[in-house]
Amino acid sequence: MVVGIDNAVTATKSTISSAKKTPPTLSSDSVINFARGDPTMYESYWRKLGDRCSMVISGNDLMSYFSNPGNLCWFLMPELDHAIRRLHGVVRNAIADDDRFIVVGTGSTQLFHALLYALSSPNEPEPISVVAAAPFYSSYPEETEFLRSGLYKWAGDAYSFNKDGPYIEVVTSPNNPDGAIRGAVVNRKGGKLIHDLAYYWPQYTPITGRANYDVMLFTFSKATGHAGSRIGWVIVKDKEIATKMVKFIELNSIGVSKESQLRAAKILGVISDDCLNSGPNKEENFFEYGQHLMSERWEKLREVVKRNGVFSLPKYSPDYCNFSGEYTDHNPAYAWLKSKEGLNSDNLLREHKIVTRGGTKFGVGSKYTRISMLSSDDEFNLLLERLSAIKVTTNGNY
């Protein structure tokens, strides 16, 4: 651990040139991967904003470990702290007032590990059980078991959990993979909840109220599409939990990249500015863009699925969105496909060169599979084309 550094470096500039990349070339023979939640669909929006989100960082900037030594989360840049609280206030999807602690992490994965550490106790006779209601996010079991910690262990589906004693339940809402709005399932004494709200943003779901839970997990990647920056944050009520999380990240990575934090702060600030712009030159803000794009994609996918008769999709009812001020549809980040004939959906799609993530990884049967709705336009259009080609023949084959 480094000691003796008293002052955080102040970032005086905030522009960085974007790296150029050549998009992959797709052909009729290409295998398309929809198992990943890589949010490349947002690239065109950020491209049209030009230099508004650009950053320049000098060689002598951001050299200290410390961002704000007076803050409990000493590696959290003040600019990002302000931008996060402001955006939640603008969108009205979570309470992030000054009496709450914000802990930043290298993506939500590091923060999930930090939360498991913070919510467990070394004084318990056995590891605390970690559960989530099926279908649950496919990485929860692996992330929980990866370090083989003596503090916590994966205990499976919350619906079937009946063990006495303390437990941690992960509540993902909207849920990954099926987009359902979730609440806690176990609801017993000694339970501790992690509310994973990665998809509680207007492009995916109506914002029906300000989330006000003890622990709320968010990620920059799904909020704005900037997965490569590896930024996530948790809004925490309890100081002791926040302190333990900070200690975990201090020992795990000695803080979080300041460059990534400043980029996130800049982008979140631009989003808030555009959402608050009510002038005559007002243009479509990021969430309006995302909501329209997701709505169009879901409409096209439902039409294809309806025509081919092989799969079904969940149905969602519109709800009033406090952000947009109107009734909007649920447009989840993933499509939860179900084979009507009980076939292995993942295997069936792989025969058509579509890679998905099968239902067994989410704690349910193989007739389900998850398809990302966040890919580039070219990939998504090719997905629709291939799904349209899957037909039931007279002998029951596909």
Side-chain angles (χ1 to χ4, degrees), residues 76 80-81 83-89 93-105 111 115 193-197 200-201 210-219 232-239 241-242 245:
L76 170 62
L80 182 57
D81 186 309
I84 288 171
R85 296 181 193 274
R86 182 185 181 217
L87 184 64
H88 283 300
N93 65 338
I95 294 178
D97 298 340
D98 290 341
D99 61 343
R100 311 294 170 95
F101 300 94
I102 291 181
V103 180
V104 66
L111 289 166
L115 279 166
L193 302 180
I194 297 174
H195 279 85
D196 185 346
L197 304 182
Y200 191 45
W201 296 100
R210 298 177 188 263
N212 184 24
Y213 304 110
D214 292 342
V215 171
M216 298 183 285
L217 176 61
F218 292 91
T219 172
W233 63 91
V234 178
I235 304 172
V236 186
K237 286 185 180 181
D238 186 87
K239 183 177 182 180
I241 293 173
M245 291 184 67

Side-chain angles (χ1 to χ4, degrees), residues 283-343:
E283 296 184 359
E284 187 178 53
N285 65 56
F286 172 73
F287 293 122
E288 291 170 339
Y289 168 87
Q291 200 277 333
H292 293 154
L293 180 56
M294 291 297 293
S295 180
E296 289 174 2
R297 288 192 171 194
W298 269 96
E299 184 177 352
K300 292 177 181 178
L301 179 64
R302 288 193 183 280
E303 182 60 32
V304 168
V305 169
K306 180 180 178 180
R307 285 201 310 266
N308 74 15
V310 179
F311 302 102
S312 63
L313 287 165
K315 295 181 179 180
Y316 311 98
S317 299
D319 214 331
Y320 186 79
C321 178
N322 292 327
F323 172 75
S324 65
E326 59 186 13
Y327 279 86
T328 59
D329 292 319
H330 294 261
N331 300 301
Y334 304 99
W336 189 231
L337 280 182
K338 178 184 177 182
S339 165
K340 289 185 176 180
E341 300 298 325
L343 298 175

Side-chain angles (χ1 to χ4, degrees), residues 26-38:
L26 294 175
S27 71
S28 58
D29 293 327
S30 297
V31 174
I32 49 177
N33 192 326
F34 281 79
R36 303 174 297 214
D38 198 17

